Amino acid sequence: MLRKIRIALALIFFIGITLLFLDFTGVVHIYLGWMAKMQLLPAILAGNVIVVVFLLLVTLLFGRTYCSIICPLGVMQDGFSWLGGRFMKKRFHYRRPHQWLRIVVLVLFIALMVLGLNAIAILIAPYSAYGRIASSLLQPIYLWINNLLASWAEHAGSYSFYTADTWMKSGITLLVAVVTLVVVGLLAFFSGRTWCNNICPVGTVLGFLSKFSLFRPVIDTTKCVECKKCEHKCKSQCIDITGGHSIDMTRCVACFDCIDNCKKGAISYQMRTKKETPSTGKPVDEDRRKFLVTTAAIGTATAIQAQEAKVDGGLAVIQDKQIPVRTTPLKPAGSISLKHFTNHCTACQLCVSECPNGVLRPSKDLTTLMQPEMSFERGYCRPECVRCSEVCPTGAIKPIDVAEKSAIHFGLAVVVTKNCLPVAEGVKCGNCATHCPTGAILMVPIHAGDDPDLPMTLKRPTVNTDKCIGCGACENLCPVRPFSAIHVEGRQVHIHD
């Protein structure tokens, strides 16, 4: 029964979190957004004390149930492991823990996070790793199916579905997602929870806590006939029958497979009644010291684009806009500052998946690799949209409302005079000023210094820096291609009115 309950809860969390990355309407987040905020690393970065304390207490009480139920990458591994079990029997047996590897990886992860080198550390962050897989690999398939259904519904005279743009946001992120899926999937297929118990920093921390859990699976030596069915079914490979009928609780993920497969009833999930000697044979005091040191360190760390045919009146091909070179990258309103965003973002891609305007896409810069940044080739950041701030689970983008967003200056428009149509070609325009939602762009007469041969009736744009918030409407709607005659630069620190 325990195993069935665990599987049911795991499926609920796994499907719910996956839908958060697939959904483009924002409806799923209203009901299931809390699932993303239940992930341990995002909760730590967001300073969500309630969630962090809850998850730690659950681990101290029941063991690493987080890894088997809440973590989507963990549940995905269970799926691959189950699939591997269809082809290979008795593939698991007890293996000694690689404590040195776990400690080294955890220390490196913490050091990178503290030093602000998140772009490297987040490659092994479990929730973010699964987020990249769901966003880069599953969401395009989901959108293609949706668009197919929308096409069929339209032909039937129904508008139950509507189409959504499908485009590759980042080749690098796609590559990382594919490599992560292949590596983690193959490890799980052949050797179960190898990734969780050797690489994953969250698994290592919870493993130390689980060592002191109140409830745990216990082997009754009077009933055990040493058939090793439990050992062969343990995907964490932490049950040692011949070495003393012991279970390494630092690696046990409380999946209850051993209990379900023991035909003699020799394994039960019960309250710990006495101090047990770990199967590693190391003194308890030494492991407790390592746990305390690691916990203290964690506290320190809290800190083919889809091309579509575009034509003008069926006669002339309209060039795609190109991304301008920005001196300072653009981060969404609510990010507070470039430093704050970089230090808190785990590049899970949830905000990228949820952005309804096609503004957010993963960064290609090595220092902020895969962390979202703004660009306006496909749309602009509408003042009434605060979706990214609502879905961010790490606090990299703080929750804001529409009124607050309109008062945050997260970017500044810059005019590239040589590209501007009135100056470059002597024709009237003013599109940027017409569509600026804050009235920050004014059209002023062209002076003789710009070009003495141009008539004084022509006007060029100028930007009122006190009004410009950086929404990108001017850059997106500028008719000049491939590079707009006006583009938005980011701000190191966002300014609030």
Side-chain angles (χ1 to χ4, degrees):
M1 181 60 69
L2 286 174
R3 180 173 178 269
K4 291 178 180 178
I5 293 173
R6 188 266 304 173
I7 292 175
L9 291 174
L11 287 175
I12 290 172
F13 269 91
F14 184 75
I15 294 172
I17 291 173
T18 301
L19 287 176
L20 285 175
F21 286 94
L22 301 185
D23 178 56
F24 58 92
T25 64
V27 175
V28 174
H29 176 76
I30 296 174
Y31 302 99
L32 302 179
W34 58 272
M35 288 187 174
K37 293 177 171 61
M38 285 289 292
Q39 304 303 312
L40 182 57
L41 182 59
I44 291 174
L45 292 174
N48 195 334
V49 178
I50 295 176
V51 171
V52 173
V53 171
F54 171 77
L55 293 176
L56 297 184
L57 285 177
V58 167
T59 304
L60 285 171
L61 286 173
F62 306 111
R64 286 174 58 184
T65 51
Y66 171 89
C67 299
S68 282
I69 295 175
I70 300 176
C71 176
L73 194 70
V75 178
M76 185 190 80
Q77 288 178 76
D78 284 347
F80 278 107
S81 180
W82 175 85
L83 187 62
R86 304 303 95 190
F87 299 93
M88 297 171 287
K89 305 299 181 183
K90 296 184 178 180
R91 60 201 171 110
F92 299 139
H93 57 85
Y94 175 75
R95 293 181 184 274
R96 293 184 64 83
H98 299 296
Q99 291 284 50
W100 63 270
L101 178 59
R102 301 166 76 182
I103 296 296
V104 168
V105 173
L106 178 61
V107 170
L108 284 175
F109 179 83
I110 294 172
L112 290 170
M113 294 292 287
V114 171
L115 294 173
L117 301 175
N118 299 33
I120 302 174
I122 57 179
L123 292 174
I124 59 172
Y127 166 72
S128 300
Y130 180 76
R132 290 187 287 272
I133 292 171
S135 176
S136 301
L137 300 177
L138 300 182
Q139 192 191 45
I141 298 173
Y142 178 83
L143 293 180
W144 289 331
I145 294 174
N146 171 82
N147 291 347
L148 182 61
L149 293 174
S151 177
W152 289 346
E154 185 178 355
H155 286 302
S158 171
Y159 294 93
S160 302
F161 299 89
Y162 62 90
T163 59
D165 285 342
T166 306
W167 54 291
M168 187 172 70
K169 301 175 178 68
S170 169
I172 294 176
T173 306
L174 176 62
L175 177 61
V176 171
V178 170
V179 171
T180 303
L181 178 63
V182 171
V183 171
V184 176
L186 287 177
L187 284 174
F189 186 88
F190 289 105
S191 56
R193 288 284 188 134
T194 299
W195 176 275
C196 273
N197 287 325
N198 292 284
I199 304 299
C200 178
V202 173
T204 299
V205 172
L206 295 183
F208 287 131
L209 282 172
S210 182
K211 190 180 186 67
F212 310 103
S213 62
L214 183 61
F215 291 90
R216 58 180 58 195
V218 176
I219 301 174
D220 186 344
T221 55
T222 62
K223 295 181 179 179
C224 179
V225 295
E226 298 190 1
C227 64
K228 293 191 175 182
K229 284 186 177 179
C230 57
E231 189 172 317
H232 294 319
K233 286 293 183 179
C234 179
K235 51 181 171 278
S236 294
Q237 302 183 79
C238 64
I239 300 178
D240 185 9
I241 295 299
T242 57
H245 299 82
S246 59
I247 300 176
D248 181 1
M249 287 304 297
T250 66
R251 291 183 288 161
C252 175
V253 293
C255 67
F256 309 122
D257 286 352
C258 55
I259 298 175
D260 193 64
N261 282 279
C262 181
K263 304 305 180 184
K264 302 297 180 179
I267 305 180
S268 59
Y269 187 65
Q270 62 187 44
M271 184 182 296
R272 181 174 57 136
T273 56
K274 62 180 180 178
K275 181 162 59 176
E276 301 170 359
T277 302
S279 61
T280 58
K282 294 183 179 180
V284 174
D285 287 343
E286 180 183 345
D287 287 325
R288 187 183 298 271
R289 178 177 58 80
K290 287 183 178 179
F291 164 70
L292 293 174
V293 171
T294 304
T295 304
I298 286 292
T300 305
T302 304
I304 255 219
Q305 174 180 357
Q307 297 293 328
E308 52 185 53
K310 300 184 208 172
V311 295
D312 180 10
L315 299 176
V317 175
I318 301 176
Q319 265 187 304
D320 285 328
K321 279 184 175 287
Q322 298 292 319
I323 300 175
V325 177
R326 305 184 200 276
T327 304
T328 305
L330 273 160
K331 302 301 179 181
S335 301
I336 301 178
S337 68
L338 195 57
K339 182 178 180 181
H340 171 87
F341 186 88
T342 302
N343 289 341
H344 287 77
C345 177
T346 62
C348 71
Q349 309 302 309
L350 183 55
C351 60
V352 177
S353 298
E354 289 277 351
C355 181
N357 305 309
V359 168
L360 294 176
R361 68 280 315 273
S363 169
K364 298 178 181 178
D365 189 289
L366 290 178
T367 59
T368 58
L369 189 64
M370 297 185 296
Q371 292 186 346
E373 61 185 19
M374 305 173 74
S375 202
F376 307 115
E377 293 71 52
R378 305 183 68 89
Y380 65 93
C381 190
R382 297 180 180 274
E384 70 276 10
C385 177
V386 291
R387 182 87 62 83
C388 58
S389 76
E390 293 173 341
V391 304
C392 179
T394 68
I397 310 173
K398 296 290 185 181
I400 57 174
D401 57 32
V402 175
E404 286 178 288
K405 181 176 180 178
S406 299
I408 298 174
H409 300 257
F410 53 91
L412 178 64
V414 177
V415 179
V416 184
T417 306
K418 64 178 182 179
N419 291 349
C420 191
L421 286 178
V423 176
E425 299 185 16
V427 296
K428 291 183 180 180
C429 184
N431 209 37
C432 52
T434 301
H435 296 285
C436 178
T438 64
I441 301 178
L442 301 175
M443 300 301 293
V444 298
I446 294 178
H447 299 293
D450 295 313
D451 189 336
D453 296 326
L454 292 177
M456 289 298 290
T457 54
L458 289 176
K459 294 183 179 181
R460 63 178 177 84
T462 185
V463 179
N464 184 333
T465 57
D466 292 332
K467 290 186 176 181
C468 179
I469 61 174
C471 68
C474 55
E475 181 179 327
N476 174 250
L477 298 171
C478 176
V480 179
R481 294 171 184 265
F483 293 101
S484 297
I486 186 168
H487 72 271
V488 182
E489 286 288 342
R491 291 182 184 269
Q492 289 283 349
V493 179
H494 293 181
I495 300 172
H496 294 251
D497 285 340

